[in-house]
């Protein structure tokens, strides 16, 4: 299959075998998820370069979860999200915040993770309404993943 087909030059794309506008809520959400996944990948590269292997593993788990959410949204694929919600919830248990966090005063890894967190939050705010019907765990999982990214950023910034 060629990369460039020209079929999207009119502002439409194919989603679930139907032509839709690229500005539709589903396509905008998937675009925001692409960005979030790219930023998680960038943070993962930095984590690996800084020998932060446990952080890299957590970021890989987050990347996989984001990919699963895209598969559910784009193709109505079946994915088990329960274990990921449990994992993400455990990663944030007992964590609290006592003051404002200045990520600009932290490491480049912490800043990269925080950037990924903001993209996950933005994607979450653009979740299509149908996602709750597709899998009711998508919305809580998106929320938990951004929480895990926040915790990771804070821990890497120390």
């Amino acid at each position: 299959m060629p990369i460039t087909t020209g079929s999207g030059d009119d502002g439409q794309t194919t989603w679930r075998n139907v032509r839709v506008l690229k500005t539709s809520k589903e396509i905008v959400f998937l675009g925001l998820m692409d960005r979030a996944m790219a930023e998680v990948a960038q943070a993962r590269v930095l984590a690996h370069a800084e020998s932060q292997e446990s952080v890299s593993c957590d970021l890989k788990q987050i990347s996989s979860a984001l990919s699963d959410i895209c598969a559910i949204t784009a193709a109505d694929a079946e994915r088990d999200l329960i274990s990921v919600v449990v994992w993400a919830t455990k990663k944030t248990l007992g964590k609290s915040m006592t003051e404002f966090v200045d990520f600009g005063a932290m490491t480049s890894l912490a800043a990269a993770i925080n950037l990924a967190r903001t993209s996950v939050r933005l994607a979450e705010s653009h979740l299509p309404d149908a996602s709750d019907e597709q899998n009711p765990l998508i919305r809580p999982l998106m929320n938990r993943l951004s929480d895990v990214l926040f915790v990771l950023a804070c821990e890497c910034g120390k």
Side-chain angles (χ1 to χ4, degrees):
M1 173 194 267
I3 299 296
T4 302
T5 63
S7 64
D9 292 351
D10 64 351
Q12 294 187 27
T13 190
T14 302
W15 177 71
R16 296 187 180 181
N17 298 318
V18 176
R19 297 295 288 170
V20 298
L21 291 174
K22 289 184 178 182
T23 56
S24 72
K25 190 159 182 142
E26 294 80 10
I27 302 306
V28 169
F29 171 73
L30 291 171
L32 291 169
M33 290 292 282
D34 281 346
R35 181 184 182 127
M37 289 187 292
E39 290 172 356
V40 169
Q42 182 180 26
R44 190 169 169 216
V45 167
L46 282 171
H48 184 69
E50 295 180 16
S51 299
Q52 297 277 343
E53 293 309 317
S54 67
V55 173
S56 180
C57 287
D58 287 341
L59 292 169
K60 182 178 181 181
Q61 177 75 24
I62 291 167
S63 179
S64 178
L66 293 173
S67 181
D68 284 346
I69 292 167
C70 284
I72 293 166
T73 305
D76 214 13
E78 292 291 325
R79 296 290 193 272
D80 177 20
L81 301 181
I82 295 171
S83 61
V84 188
V85 172
V86 170
W87 169 83
T89 301
K90 286 181 181 177
K91 294 297 284 184
T92 60
L93 283 178
K95 309 289 182 181
S96 61
M97 194 173 123
T98 57
E99 59 189 51
F100 181 77
V101 179
D102 180 3
F103 288 105
M106 295 185 172
T107 66
S108 58
L109 176 56
I113 294 170
N114 188 51
L115 183 60
R117 177 194 65 82
T118 64
S119 288
V120 170
R121 281 269 190 240
L122 182 59
E124 177 189 2
S125 73
H126 285 75
L127 266 167
D129 296 333
S131 66
D132 293 324
E133 295 165 15
Q134 290 173 304
N135 189 318
L137 293 176
I138 291 176
R139 195 173 303 276
L141 179 56
M142 293 285 296
N143 192 35
R144 294 299 175 289
L145 293 175
S146 60
D147 290 344
V148 172
L149 287 164
F150 180 78
V151 168
L152 287 174
C154 290
E155 290 175 351
C156 288
K158 292 180 183 178

